[in-house]
Amino acid sequence: TRLFPQPSGARLIFEDEKGGLFLFNPVNDHVVPVPSFTGRADNVMWDTADPNLLVISDGQSLSVYLYVPNSLTGPQVNE
């Protein structure tokens, strides 16, 4: 398991033993899968202006995601 915390500590991305990525929000204990990411995450960069925006790097490419804490279908991470 690997952890990539937001600098403020409000949220984190974690990698499980199977290599899946998830966003954890400790305020409400939501665990939300990060869709469509293949490979191994090398780094997660959190936007300082928008705390719901993040970039995941696998060493060769960058993937941009938006955390949506409130939606009709519940919390989600969108690519």
Side-chain angles (χ1 to χ4, degrees):
T1 302
R2 296 169 14 146
L3 303 175
F4 302 95
Q6 195 175 32
S8 67
R11 299 181 185 107
L12 66 86
I13 295 288
F14 71 91
E15 183 179 63
D16 68 5
E17 63 278 351
K18 296 179 184 177
L21 290 179
F22 300 86
L23 184 142
F24 174 63
N25 185 344
V27 173
N28 52 21
D29 287 336
H30 286 156
V31 175
V32 183
V34 175
S36 307
F37 186 82
T38 57
R40 182 172 169 88
D42 285 337
N43 192 19
V44 175
M45 296 165 277
W46 299 88
D47 191 305
T48 56
D50 183 348
N52 294 325
L53 189 65
L54 59 132
V55 177
I56 302 174
S57 168
D58 65 2
Q60 296 180 2
S61 63
L62 300 172
S63 300
V64 179
Y65 294 93
L66 179 67
Y67 171 56
V68 181
N70 300 306
S71 74
L72 293 175
T73 57
Q76 54 189 296
V77 176
N78 296 327
E79 189 171 16

